[in-house]
């Protein structure tokens, strides 16, 4: 199947009882057994749920993987992956990454003995220099949040596979419509399903997709033991959202490119970060490993004034100031005080994340209305 067909049909069958074309919401905590241990594949809803099973199969198909596991949040998925390791193990991660990922690594798992190195993975020499005999995993985002830098997945995978190091790719910003890391050599793909996969700002969820059966079984055990499971209502909402993923992502990409081009020409804008711009340092890599450039744009203003950046964000009328991204509506975020506040200021600035950076999640509204809103807000 091509992607659009998979989004609607992969892993999804009509309900065998009623013929309902939409997967039912199995709102139950337990399942009746004929005899102890004799059941229909479901025992307890923390362990399995039929609505969740369909979503997991659908997500696995979209990422060209064999196994999908859904979690109560993206950080729930991250937590499960980090629990694959033991004290003394070392993990290398992108220096430019989501603040919540940094927080769980440094302020939670580092306390239990895991070691983390944060390096700029857009330069492979940095990765080579950071690897030690204790390195067990490399964690990358591409495009990164919020500076829209790219990491060459295939090149990193060649390095990690040669050293038997697991490669995890956070594919949230691209979504499986634009990028499939497993096809490029990654071992595990992780998503904040809250974002583009759900697509309607009404669900919080995470997901992992992979091909290795042993690791999938270990992750499923960790999930069942620790309890980070999504509810059936949320699984139903995400299944509904995925059916229009390809349509939404096309419009997100079209609108974001128009907005990036507009901002690039604006006299008050000093820097625009968007891989679809030809002067983006990794534009060619974006064309090679992605099928589009995504719906995320970030920019800074001349003068680097925090007060002016705040004034702009407070002046939007169509863009809404808020956390998160990937919904049908356009959002603006101030990463330094919102999504990335858990990263120390000196670390943020060392990685290029200024306090004046504005991040846009470009929605699917009429792009002329969005540009008009930017015009009036920036002035």
């Amino acid at each position: 199947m091509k992607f659009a067909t998979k989004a609607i049909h992969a892993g999804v069958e009509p309900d065998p009882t009623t013929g309902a074309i939409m997967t039912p919401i199995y709102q139950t905590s337990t399942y009746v057994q004929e005899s102890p241990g004799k059941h229909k594949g479901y025992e307890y809803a923390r362990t399995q749920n039929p609505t969740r099973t369909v979503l997991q199969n659908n997500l696995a198909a979209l990422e060209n993987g064999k196994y999908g596991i859904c979690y109560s949040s993206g950080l729930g998925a991250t937590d499960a992956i980090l629990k694959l390791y033991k004290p003394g193990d070392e993990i290398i991660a992108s220096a430019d990454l989501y603040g919540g990922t940094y927080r769980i690594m440094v302020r939670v798992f580092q306390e239990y003995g895991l070691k983390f190195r944060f390096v700029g993975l857009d330069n492979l020499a940095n990765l080579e220099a950071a690897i030690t005999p204790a390195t067990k995993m490399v964690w990358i985002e591409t495009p990164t949040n919020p500076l829209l830098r790219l990491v060459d997945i295939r090149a990193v995978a060649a390095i990690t596979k040669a050293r038997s190091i697991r490669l995890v790719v956070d594919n949230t910003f691209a979504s499986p419509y634009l990028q499939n890391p497993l096809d490029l050599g990654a071992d595990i793909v992780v998503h904040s399903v809250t974002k583009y996969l759900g697509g309607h700002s009404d669900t919080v969820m995470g997901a992992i997709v992979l091909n290795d059966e042993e690791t999938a079984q270990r992750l499923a055990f960790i999930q069942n033991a620790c309890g980070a499971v999504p509810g059936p209502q949320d699984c139903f909402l995400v299944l509904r959202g995925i059916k229009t993923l390809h349509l939404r992502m096309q419009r997100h990409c079209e609108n974001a490119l128009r907005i990036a081009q507009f901002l690039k020409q604006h006299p008050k804008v000093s820097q625009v970060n968007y891989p679809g711009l030809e002067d983006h340092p990794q534009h060619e890599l974006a064309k090679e490993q992605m099928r589009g450039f995504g719906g995320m744009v970030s920019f800074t203003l001349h003068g680097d004034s925090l007060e002016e950046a705040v004034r702009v964000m407070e002046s939007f009328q169509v863009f809404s100031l808020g956390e998160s991204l990937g919904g049908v509506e356009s959002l603006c975020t101030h990463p330094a005080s919102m999504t990335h506040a858990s990263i120390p200021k000196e670390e943020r600035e060392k990685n290029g994340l200024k306090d004046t950076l504005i991040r846009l999640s470009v929605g699917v509204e009429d792009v002329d209305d969005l540009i008009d809103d930017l015009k009036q807000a920036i002035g």
Side-chain angles (χ1 to χ4, degrees):
M1 290 183 183
K2 300 292 193 300
F3 188 93
T5 310
K6 286 199 292 187
I8 295 170
H9 294 290
V12 181
E13 298 289 342
D15 175 52
T17 303
T18 66
I21 195 166
M22 295 299 292
T23 302
I25 303 169
Y26 286 89
Q27 194 71 52
T28 185
S29 61
T30 193
Y31 308 86
V32 174
Q33 303 186 24
E34 295 179 35
S35 180
K38 186 178 181 182
H39 49 76
K40 298 178 180 179
Y42 295 91
E43 303 166 78
Y44 186 61
R46 186 185 67 250
T47 311
Q48 317 108 328
N49 176 279
T51 315
R52 193 199 324 164
T53 297
V54 172
L55 174 59
Q56 290 175 159
N57 292 340
N58 183 247
L59 287 172
L62 295 184
E63 282 289 12
N64 300 326
K66 293 180 181 178
Y67 308 101
I69 308 172
C70 289
Y71 294 81
S72 53
S73 70
L75 283 169
T78 301
D79 176 83
I81 293 170
L82 293 175
K83 284 173 179 169
L84 294 171
Y85 301 96
K86 61 183 186 296
D89 288 346
E90 194 170 77
I91 293 163
I92 297 171
S94 307
D96 173 22
L97 84 171
Y98 168 51
T101 306
Y102 178 93
R103 180 179 58 223
I104 195 172
M105 288 178 172
V106 171
R107 298 186 62 182
V108 178
F109 280 91
Q110 194 163 269
E111 296 293 319
Y112 292 99
L114 296 189
K115 298 179 180 179
F116 298 93
R117 293 169 178 252
F118 299 93
V119 299
L121 294 179
D122 49 343
N123 183 342
L124 295 180
N126 294 337
L127 174 59
E128 296 271 15
I131 291 174
T132 74
T135 303
K136 303 298 182 184
M137 180 177 79
V138 173
W139 180 290
I140 65 177
E141 291 180 8
T142 180
T144 62
N145 181 4
L147 295 173
L148 285 304
R149 293 169 177 155
L150 269 67
V151 180
D152 189 330
I153 298 171
R154 197 184 300 276
V156 172
I159 294 171
T160 57
K161 284 191 186 304
R163 294 163 175 79
S164 298
I165 296 169
R166 183 179 280 128
L167 174 59
V168 177
V169 177
D170 184 335
N171 201 29
T172 298
F173 265 31
S175 88
Y177 179 70
L178 300 180
Q179 182 173 267
N180 296 117
L182 295 179
D183 293 347
L184 300 173
D187 298 295
I188 295 176
V189 175
V190 63
H191 282 278
S192 174
V193 177
T194 310
K195 313 305 193 297
Y196 288 109
L197 287 165
H200 293 78
S201 302
D202 55 9
T203 309
V204 173
M205 194 186 296
I208 292 170
V209 179
L210 68 166
N211 284 314
D212 180 65
E213 182 179 7
E214 182 179 350
T215 304
Q217 289 177 349
R218 177 63 182 164
L219 287 167
F221 170 83
I222 290 169
Q223 180 185 49
N224 188 52
C226 299
V229 298
Q233 172 77 25
D234 288 338
C235 292
F236 174 87
L237 289 172
V238 174
L239 277 167
R240 183 203 61 180
I242 286 174
K243 291 181 186 299
T244 59
L245 177 63
H246 54 298
L247 303 174
R248 291 184 284 106
M249 290 308 298
Q250 288 171 8
R251 180 58 66 87
H252 284 301
C253 292
E254 292 167 5
N255 284 0
L257 180 58
R258 284 277 307 278
I259 283 173
Q261 292 169 336
F262 163 77
L263 290 170
K264 190 73 179 173
Q265 301 302 318
H266 198 290
K268 291 188 177 181
V269 174
S270 60
Q271 175 69 36
V272 181
N273 304 305
Y274 185 66
L277 294 174
E278 292 187 2
D279 63 351
H280 186 284
Q282 295 154 310
H283 178 65
E284 292 303 315
L285 175 60
K287 290 198 297 183
E288 179 183 332
Q289 78 179 15
M290 300 174 70
R291 292 180 288 273
F293 304 112
M296 301 300 299
V297 179
S298 62
F299 68 99
T300 52
L301 302 168
H302 283 296
D304 208 26
S305 164
L306 179 57
E307 292 75 16
E308 179 64 7
V310 170
R311 184 200 66 76
V312 169
M313 287 183 280
E314 290 177 343
S315 300
F316 282 123
Q317 296 175 0
V318 180
F319 283 88
S320 298
L321 178 62
E323 300 265 3
S324 200
L325 60 102
V328 291
E329 64 289 311
S330 292
L331 295 173
C332 82
T333 297
H334 181 235
S337 67
M338 297 168 74
T339 57
H340 290 64
S342 57
I343 300 177
K345 179 179 173 67
E346 61 272 18
E347 288 293 320
R348 294 197 306 264
E349 293 184 342
K350 183 173 71 175
N351 296 324
L353 201 174
K354 296 182 178 180
D355 281 356
T356 54
L357 185 83
I358 297 171
R359 190 191 76 183
L360 302 178
S361 174
V362 180
V364 299
E365 302 95 338
D366 189 290
V367 71
D368 292 329
D369 290 332
L370 296 176
I371 290 174
D372 286 344
D373 196 31
L374 284 161
K375 286 179 181 176
Q376 66 82 23
I378 297 173

